[in-house]
Amino acid sequence: MLSLFHTKKSFTRAFFSQIRSISEAIEFNDPELKVKIGLEIHARILSKTKLFSDADCFDLTNTPVNKNVGFFDAAFPGTMPALNRRGIEAGLLTALALNCDINVMSYFERKHYFYADLPAGYQITQQRNPIAQNGYFKYPVVNPKTHKLSYNNCKIKRIQLEHDSARSLQIDDVFLKLNKKQKLPENTLLIDLNRAGMGLMEIVTDPDFESAFECYSFARELALTLKSIGTCDAQMGEGGFRVDVNVSVHEIDKSSDPPIVLPGTRVELKNLSSFNAILKGTEYEIKRQREMIRKKQPILLETRTYDSIKGITISLRSKENQYDYRFMPEPNLLPLIVYSTHLKPNLDTLKCDNNKQLCLSHEFFEKLHSFKNQPEFYCDFDKVKDQFEHKDLPDKRRMFLVNKYGMTHEIAFIFVANNLDYIIKKLISHRNITKEDLKLYTRVLLTEYLNQVNENPDLEKIDFELQCAKIQSFIVLIKNKKISRRIWLSFFKKLFDFKNLNKLAHELAKDEDLYVITDGQLIQSTINKVFEQNPKATNEYKMKDKKRKKIFDFFVGQVHKELRNIAEPELVEELVLKNLKNLIY
Ligand SMILES: Nc1ncnc2c1ncn2[C@@H]1O[C@H](COP(=O)(O)OP(=O)(O)OP(=O)(O)O)[C@@H](O)[C@H]1O
Ligand SMILES: [Mg+2]
Ligand SMILES: [Mg+2]
């Protein structure tokens, strides 16, 4: 087994590019107050078509408004829902990843509310009889101060299938998209139905979190897990992974023995759609509630939103005035039944609604086979389980890196969070690799590559094979000392510049004349020139012992500047020192 060694500096840099401004996220611990947080995550199901219609589910940003709309999604009278099999499979795969009990029978129901983004006036959901429930999820948390990694556990209440609403649009965005100049009357609400009817998994957790950073860490790991099993691409910018954060702060009555946690009021932050918003919004809300309690002011049961520009949460509506959703069974959809081909479900993983043994009887499962003329409502659990066993969950991916390459758990965490494991595997497949090489590959991915990902999020959209070829060509150049260390970062940036997309590193170095200068004569003549231009500094070097290191650095910098930073650093230093010493003796 190879072992990896990292300089503290490169690790720290990579770590902080990964988790920004985390130090601010450590909430001070107040022994008088207890924080409870529960999450509801709306994860868009990765599917070709919508949950109840055959309309396309393509990329929302690049599709013209109201392009992908089925008659059912627009609630045309007389249209009926047809359940998408992929939605069920995604729900089951997710349930397995979150260690949930699968309900043999689950139901769809209508949840009513009236708003322009919901054409039918109701959403089809599974609020009361979801496809899965009672799970748990282990997620990594990196201590922002010590950088040490540990694991937390969170209970999953349920996973339910439902469809998304349409999207209300900002008028300015529409004008930009349509390139129209005319003005619409004020207060006009524009609706894009492309999103209406897309499949969602609502994942609801228990109120197990105690800090914003735990919520942030959980959300990141969940998004990564759903991506790994292919049930959701977690594109947060497009609303593909939206998180509602429920926060309550409780006073602790220390006068009683043992101390009692007094009831607090749950405030719901709706639709946080970036990891940063989850971190900052939750942090703000905890702080706000703590201050209210200290000032003895009441906390209202309400729904709030996070304004990321102002960095504050704002009240949307009071929960007391919330709608009565008037849940009723969806009459146009049969109950959803998950069966096992072996007819004997594993009682540990398959539990019926409220554990009613009736559903688990042998006869029941035999009967299911005769119902297969309604295929969309029957799902073979064994097939899904089989699919699941071939998926690479984040923990498995991290352990591979630890065991195979001897990475620390912390480095493996950063690698998997950024999909660097796929890249390093590709780069070193079929190669006999030394410990030193592995160190170099790791360094380039953690510094040059991650730096680019942070500066240019589009980089990840570049074809995987092309990315790997470019990184490989860069590593060959630096390994053979063909480019100066001083330009590694800027060279890498150029390499992934859109206009150089089809160039490999050696082509770029040639085209832009960036190969390292090792010509001693050229460096010497540059030193002569720089010395001539700076007589004061050379004089000072002769006279003042104490300033010599500073003056040496100054000349090294000047020589590099003259030579566009591409001269070999060791040679420049050696020659500058030699020339300076000649001044003294
Ligand atoms: N005391 C509490 N403090 C913080 N969170 C809580 C508390 N009690 C419950 N929660 C969390 O509130 C969330 C409740 O979600 P659920 O979907 O069941 O109901 P809802 O929010 O009323 O419904 P909707 O889906 O319409 O928003 C869960 O994530 C749960 O963990
Ligand atoms: Mg909910
Ligand atoms: Mg809620």
Side-chain angles (χ1 to χ4, degrees):
M1 189 183 80
L2 296 163
S3 134
L4 271 185
F5 210 83
H6 292 281
T7 62
K8 188 138 182 85
K9 205 169 158 199
S10 75
F11 171 73
T12 315
R13 204 183 307 128
F15 181 80
F16 279 104
S17 62
Q18 175 59 36
I19 304 171
R20 284 187 215 123
S21 61
I22 286 307
S23 48
E24 292 165 39
I26 312 171
E27 289 132 16
F28 80 102
N29 211 351
D30 186 338
E32 307 285 321
L33 300 173
K34 182 170 172 61
V35 176
K36 280 192 193 175
I37 311 166
L39 307 180
E40 297 160 80
I41 298 100
H42 292 94
R44 181 175 305 139
I45 296 169
L46 200 55
S47 167
K48 286 199 188 105
T49 54
K50 295 190 177 177
L51 192 57
F52 300 117
S53 83
D54 62 358
D56 286 333
C57 271
F58 289 144
D59 167 15
L60 281 171
T61 13
N62 296 317
T63 309
V65 290
N66 294 319
K67 177 89 181 4
N68 299 335
V69 191
F71 286 119
F72 177 78
D73 309 317
F76 268 52
T79 51
M80 298 276 266
L83 181 59
N84 175 355
R85 167 159 292 275
R86 163 73 187 150
I88 311 169
E89 285 175 3
L92 291 177
L93 282 170
T94 304
L96 285 168
L98 304 187
N99 306 291
C100 289
D101 294 337
I102 314 276
N103 285 325
V104 172
M105 200 186 281
S106 58
Y107 305 91
F108 289 98
E109 57 200 345
R110 295 181 176 183
K111 173 180 178 177
H112 296 83
Y113 65 86
F114 295 95
Y115 194 67
D117 67 4
L118 195 68
Y122 60 84
Q123 179 192 30
I124 300 179
T125 180
Q126 292 191 309
Q127 183 90 3
R128 290 178 298 189
N129 295 88
I131 189 164
Q133 63 195 48
N134 296 338
Y136 66 91
F137 188 59
K138 207 175 96 177
Y139 62 97
V141 187
V142 181
N143 184 311
K145 272 191 174 161
T146 62
H147 298 179
K148 280 281 163 226
L149 189 101
S150 59
Y151 280 86
N152 279 8
N153 225 329
C154 163
K155 285 200 243 51
I156 306 293
K157 254 187 160 142
R158 60 173 192 273
I159 302 174
Q160 66 199 42
L161 299 176
E162 58 190 34
H163 70 75
D164 209 345
S165 57
R167 194 158 57 131
S168 4
L169 297 175
Q170 298 290 325
I171 291 187
D172 290 350
D173 291 350
V174 178
F175 281 130
L176 267 180
K177 243 185 178 175
L178 299 179
N179 209 9
K180 281 194 179 166
K181 295 267 171 347
Q182 88 265 26
K183 258 205 141 359
L184 286 176
E186 253 184 58
N187 299 329
T188 306
L189 182 65
L190 295 160
I191 296 290
D192 175 8
L193 287 167
N194 283 343
R195 202 180 75 179
M198 283 185 159
L200 297 177
M201 298 174 282
E202 180 171 341
I203 301 167
V204 183
T205 77
D206 269 357
D208 283 352
F209 304 98
E210 292 185 356
S211 74
F213 189 52
E214 281 179 4
C215 299
Y216 168 91
S217 306
F218 168 88
R220 288 205 79 125
E221 180 73 357
L222 179 64
L224 193 61
T225 303
L226 301 186
K227 277 192 210 171
S228 300
I229 58 172
T231 59
C232 169
D233 61 8
Q235 294 286 347
M236 296 187 97
E238 293 175 10
F241 188 88
R242 315 193 289 270
V243 179
D244 299 346
V245 181
N246 298 271
V247 182
S248 62
V249 176
H250 305 251
E251 286 184 88
I252 300 176
D253 180 1
K254 285 203 165 155
S255 59
S256 63
D257 187 20
I260 302 173
V261 178
L262 301 170
T265 309
R266 166 165 79 107
V267 173
E268 183 168 14
L269 293 184
K270 273 273 178 215
N271 278 333
L272 300 179
S273 51
S274 76
F275 293 120
N276 205 37
I278 296 170
L279 183 67
K280 297 289 171 194
T282 312
E283 232 171 52
Y284 179 88
E285 186 54 27
I286 295 171
K287 211 168 110 205
R288 186 187 73 87
Q289 291 190 28
R290 275 182 169 153
E291 275 163 19
M292 300 280 283
I293 291 176
R294 272 194 214 102
K295 287 188 207 151
K296 305 267 175 238
Q297 285 174 358
I299 293 165
L300 305 176
L301 189 69
E302 61 183 354
T303 302
R304 298 174 77 87
T305 181
Y306 176 61
D307 180 332
S308 60
I309 295 169
K310 293 190 183 135
I312 56 171
T313 64
I314 300 162
S315 179
L316 281 180
R317 56 180 177 265
S318 151
K319 272 258 177 189
E320 265 109 20
N321 300 333
Q322 243 188 358
Y323 317 98
D324 168 5
Y325 289 128
R326 293 183 292 114
F327 282 102
M328 59 170 270
E330 167 55 57
N332 297 324
L333 290 170
L334 287 173
L336 170 60
I337 289 168
V338 180
Y339 70 93
S340 160
T341 40
H342 305 304
L343 293 183
K344 270 197 187 148
N346 174 357
L347 294 190
D348 290 335
T349 51
L350 286 177
K351 269 188 213 150
C352 178
D353 179 29
N354 300 329
N355 288 332
K356 278 181 218 144
Q357 288 302 308
L358 165 79
C359 305
L360 295 171
S361 70
H362 209 83
E363 300 80 67
F364 174 79
F365 280 94
E366 253 163 14
K367 255 191 195 165
L368 288 183
H369 285 292
S370 60
F371 280 126
K372 286 203 190 138
N373 55 348
Q374 296 279 2
E376 68 267 39
F377 297 105
Y378 293 88
C379 184
D380 183 342
F381 179 65
D382 292 335
K383 276 194 192 150
V384 178
K385 211 166 173 197
D386 203 47
Q387 260 187 53
F388 181 74
E389 259 134 40
H390 291 96
K391 305 283 183 191
D392 262 355
L393 290 173
D395 226 21
K396 195 163 143 198
R397 290 165 56 190
R398 285 189 284 262
M399 285 321 289
F400 174 85
L401 297 174
V402 171
N403 294 331
K404 174 100 177 162
Y405 304 138
M407 285 188 190
T408 62
H409 288 273
E410 284 76 11
I411 297 284
F413 167 78
I414 300 172
F415 257 66
V416 171
N418 293 285
N419 292 325
L420 302 182
D421 53 331
Y422 296 134
I423 300 182
I424 200 163
K425 271 197 213 164
K426 171 83 188 167
L427 292 180
I428 65 185
S429 60
H430 318 301
R431 281 187 183 83
N432 284 333
I433 193 123
T434 65
K435 196 169 146 182
E436 280 309 305
D437 283 345
L438 194 55
K439 243 168 99 172
L440 191 62
Y441 280 92
T442 309
R443 192 220 115 102
V444 168
L445 291 177
L446 284 179
T447 48
E448 278 74 19
Y449 184 77
L450 272 193
N451 185 285
Q452 276 315 291
V453 172
N454 287 332
E455 274 189 18
N456 170 18
D458 284 345
L459 181 139
E460 283 173 307
K461 292 185 189 151
I462 301 174
D463 175 68
F464 178 73
E465 299 286 330
L466 180 60
Q467 277 196 52
C468 291
K470 284 166 94 70
I471 300 169
Q472 188 71 53
S473 66
F474 175 76
I475 290 176
V476 170
L477 279 200
I478 61 173
K479 203 181 149 196
N480 294 322
K481 300 201 165 136
K482 295 284 190 203
I483 49 173
S484 163
R485 211 181 325 114
R486 294 179 71 94
I487 60 160
W488 282 11
L489 209 60
S490 58
F491 187 94
F492 198 86
K493 188 172 174 175
K494 264 197 181 134
L495 189 60
F496 279 91
D497 193 303
F498 205 69
K499 68 179 194 307
N500 295 323
L501 210 57
N502 293 318
K503 283 186 192 169
L504 294 180
H506 55 275
E507 292 162 328
L508 180 69
K510 186 162 170 265
D511 290 355
E512 306 227 347
D513 190 15
L514 294 172
Y515 275 120
V516 67
I517 297 173
T518 50
D519 176 353
Q521 276 184 352
L522 176 57
I523 297 174
Q524 181 58 52
S525 63
T526 311
I527 294 174
N528 295 345
K529 184 176 155 195
V530 169
F531 275 18
E532 265 168 38
Q533 285 168 347
N534 296 283
K536 209 172 144 214
T538 45
N539 262 336
E540 263 188 319
Y541 191 88
K542 282 189 232 167
M543 316 302 281
K544 294 183 184 162
D545 263 15
K546 279 187 192 151
K547 274 194 151 184
R548 279 184 185 156
K549 173 76 179 83
K550 219 169 152 191
I551 296 169
F552 166 77
D553 289 342
F554 165 74
F555 278 122
V556 168
Q558 289 300 307
V559 173
H560 278 303
K561 201 167 149 198
E562 285 287 324
L563 296 172
R564 297 181 294 129
N565 278 317
I566 64 169
E568 191 178 280
E570 290 80 14
L571 194 56
V572 170
E573 287 184 13
E574 185 191 316
L575 290 176
V576 167
L577 191 64
K578 196 169 136 200
N579 280 265
L580 285 171
K581 278 189 175 158
N582 284 345
L583 293 175
I584 313 172
Y585 307 111

